[in-house]
Each structure stands twice: as C-alpha cells, then as structure tokens.
Amino acid sequence: MMLCAGLSADKRDKFVKVWKPQVRPNGFGSRILDLLRERAPRHGAVSSVCDPCPWPHPQMEKRVEPMRVLVTGGTGLVGRAIEHVVREEGGAREGEEWIFVSSKDANLMDAKETRGLFEKRRPSHVIHLAAMVGGLFRNMRENLDFWRNNIHINDNILQTAHEMGVAKVVSCLSTCIFPDKTTYPIDETMIHNGPPHNSNFGYSYAKRMIDVQNRAYFQQYGRRFTAVIPTNVFGPHDNFNVADGHVLPGLIHKAYVAHKEGTPLQVWGSGTPRRQFIYSLDLARLFIWVLREYDEIDPIILSVGEEDEVSIKEAAECVVDALGFKGQVVFDTTKADGQFKKTASNAKLRRYLPDFKFTPFPQAVKETCDWFVANYKTARK
C-alpha cells in the first residue's frame, strides 16, 4: 500500500492532490482508504482523506482510544513519581490504564521475558525507565556491566515495542551522555560530538545508543520512539545508598546518620562540582507531557535553568538545613569529584512550555528529607 513510496516530495504532494478528489462511496478511492484502515497499526487509524500524507514512512497517527501505558522501572525514583502524578494529582485521563512494572515482573535483559511482558500487558505506549544505575564510584568499578546490561535492556524494549506495534516509546537518558570536552551550556544537538567522561563511559554510551536506535526505527519503519534527557533527579523513593547512590540522596542519608550519632558529616570530594538538580515530581509531570504532546524523534532536555545550577557544597548546605544538622561538615578531597559541570540548556523545553514552574530546590530537598526520615526503615539504602 505504499502508493507514494519512492516519489519526491513535490510529486507526492501532486499525487495526493489528484487522488483525493477521486474518493467516492464504494469507489476505488474508498476501497484504498478501507485497506489503509485495515492495515493501520492497532492503536492508530487513517481517519480522513484530508489527513497529511504519511509516506514514505508509515507514521503513527494520533490516537483516538485511551492510552494503555506500560512504565518500565515503575517502582524506582521516576516511576514512583509518575505514579504519584497519575494517581494523586489527576494526571491520568478518563479510560487510560497505567501499568507500573519492576524487575519482579520480567528480566528485561532477556528477550523472551520482555516479549512475554508485552504480550501480557499489551501496551499502546511505553515509558522506558528501567536501567542498571548507580553512583559515580560504582560506575567507575563496573563500566562493562553498565554497558552490557543496559544495551540488552534497551534493545529488548525498543525491538519488542516495534514488533508489537506500540504507538510511542519515551525513554529516559541522562546528561552524562554528553561529551566530557565540550562548550556550555550543552544542548540536544551535541550528544554525539565526542566521548563522554571516562568515569561512566559504559553507562553513557549505552544510553546514547537509545538515541541512535530511535532515529533508526523512525528512518526504517516510521516509529515514534523518542527520549528525554533529565539532569540530576532526586526525590522520594530514591536510592539513598551511601556507596552506590547518587550524590544528593547519599548526602541525605549520611547527614541523617551524622545527625543521629552526633558525628561530622563527611562529603566526598571538594564540593566544587556543579549540578542542575530536578525534583522527581517535576520530572514526572514533564514526562507525561512528552508522552502526550511532544512529537519529535530528537530528544529533549528536561531541566531547571542554567541559573538554578548549584555546587555540591551548596546542595550539602540545603540538606543540612532541611535535617536541622548542627554538626561539622568535612569535605574529603581524597575522593574523586567526577565531572566538574554538565550545565544543560533547557531552551528547547522553554519554547514548548514557557510557563512551567519548577519546585524551588530548597523546598524539594526539604520534602525529600522529610520523606526519607518518615520512611527510613523501608527506604532503599
């Protein structure tokens, strides 16, 4: 049914203009539309002869039916935040079904188990959060594992989504994918301009390849797979493990213990590196917007502005204030700092959502600390 395949844009437009008026009830044109509807993806349809011509790719049409959304990594930091927005803030629309799954539901490094999960849940849309993740020091120790495991997970999700006719996949990347040697601020056009920082190159390259695969699925099959690039995410349900967690939840855990035991708070590194932190609930709201409204294959950075970047020392001070810690703060400069800065531009996001309001950093840190204290026994740590 590739009636326009192989035609140049101007000839294709001319063909469509000539062909559209020929559609009559029970005529040849009407039969063509019937066949297109029959062969359209399960969750999309050719709705009108006046729709834009989808060739040379079978583009996914706007959905009419309510979405059935599968969220991988659904019990992690971002997954829990999306679930909160969907269930507690009215983020779901009438008739939609949101399914949050974890590693207990399927081993996504296994292609057969991934296929089984999709056949059981039959999603129309996917938010792909599942990954092998860890903090700076674990990444430095296990670069190969981060590469191999994440490559398997991502390929299984994207290929199965393609085979099952999923209308849209939104995957989660990270600013660590950007080149180490670059100019600032970084933006979406700079992802592949050079190698990432060598401390976590395995994870970084695996995440970069999602962008490569998304472009290839679109180029070859017209699939609407895209990705978001959040900056440093934190919030309730984070991994607060001191050795393997990210910097902010690790600081919160160490400050909590130091406060209880009356010992100094030891901050690894000099405290000078700078980061843009995004609250998980803000990210969740933006993720849902991307799933519904963002129509590009190119990824989009989801971040606070450059002016909201803070140093690790300033972040530690916010944690100290939130927990009421009165003891000494010591910076252990024998520990690695990692990448000094990863300042990202959110200009593209602001073009789409100029009025989106981020939660102020001190407020978000306070809410996260309060959650950690209240859930200390069961929090990941």
Side-chain angles (χ1 to χ4, degrees), residues 63-299:
R63 284 181 45 73
V64 176
E65 303 170 15
M67 296 190 300
R68 184 179 175 88
V69 186
L70 178 70
V71 182
T72 70
T75 58
L77 168 63
V78 181
R80 291 282 196 181
I82 293 174
E83 185 174 20
H84 175 87
V85 172
V86 166
R87 307 211 193 285
E88 305 299 326
E89 298 184 7
R93 293 177 180 172
E94 184 178 355
E96 289 179 351
E97 185 174 358
W98 289 74
I99 305 157
F100 296 84
V101 297
S102 71
S103 56
K104 294 179 180 178
D105 295 278
N107 174 11
L108 299 181
M109 289 187 286
D110 184 282
K112 289 183 179 179
E113 288 198 33
T114 305
R115 177 81 185 194
L117 175 66
F118 274 67
E119 289 178 344
K120 178 181 179 181
R121 300 297 189 175
R122 295 284 170 177
S124 65
H125 292 66
V126 173
I127 291 179
H128 175 39
L129 307 174
M132 177 184 176
V133 297
L136 170 64
F137 297 98
R138 187 179 178 196
N139 270 274
M140 291 172 69
R141 294 193 308 267
E142 303 173 28
N143 267 297
L144 178 60
D145 293 342
F146 277 96
W147 161 259
R148 297 189 70 243
N149 292 342
N150 284 304
I151 283 291
H152 287 311
I153 291 170
N154 299 335
D155 185 59
N156 288 338
I157 288 292
L158 295 177
Q159 179 62 18
T160 305
H162 163 62
E163 292 172 354
M164 298 288 289
V166 169
K168 187 172 184 178
V169 179
V170 181
S171 298
C172 191
L173 309 186
S174 165
T175 51
C176 71
I177 68 176
F178 285 98
D180 179 34
K181 308 299 183 186
T182 188
T183 56
Y184 294 98
I186 49 181
D187 64 38
E188 295 85 353
T189 67
M190 301 162 68
I191 295 172
H192 303 286
N193 286 358
H197 193 269
N198 61 12
S199 62
N200 59 356
F201 68 88
Y203 179 81
S204 300
Y205 275 122
K207 285 292 188 179
R208 272 193 196 184
M209 291 304 104
I210 290 179
D211 179 53
V212 173
Q213 284 185 267
N214 286 346
R215 295 171 188 277
Y217 277 113
F218 178 72
Q219 187 268 334
Q220 193 163 337
Y221 298 107
R223 290 296 181 196
R224 287 289 177 187
F225 298 169
T226 190
V228 303
I229 310 172
T231 46
N232 295 65
V233 192
F234 72 98
H237 301 283
D238 208 336
N239 177 9
F240 294 85
N241 186 284
V242 171
D244 295 331
H246 290 108
V247 57
L248 199 53
L251 278 173
I252 291 171
H253 189 182
K254 287 197 288 187
Y256 173 82
V257 172
H259 182 58
K260 282 191 69 174
E261 297 180 353
T263 57
L265 168 59
Q266 187 177 83
V267 181
W268 289 350
S270 67
T272 57
R274 304 186 65 80
R275 296 290 182 265
Q276 288 159 291
F277 292 99
I278 181 170
Y279 192 32
S280 59
L281 293 177
D282 291 338
L283 178 59
R285 297 167 191 129
L286 290 170
F287 240 115
I288 294 170
W289 168 78
V290 169
L291 186 70
R292 296 191 193 286
E293 306 295 341
Y294 181 73
D295 202 36
E296 296 185 35
I297 304 304
D298 291 344

Side-chain angles (χ1 to χ4, degrees), residues 8 20 27 35 38 59 61 74 84 103 127 167 174 180 183 197 213 241 268 312 328-329 355 358 370 381:
S8 64
K20 283 182 180 179
L35 287 171
E38 290 170 10
Q59 307 290 6
E61 300 292 333
H84 175 87
S103 56
I127 291 179
S174 165
D180 179 34
T183 56
H197 193 269
Q213 284 185 267
N241 186 284
W268 289 350
I312 301 304
Q328 183 183 11
V329 179
D355 299 321
F358 290 94
D370 289 348
K381 54 186 185 296

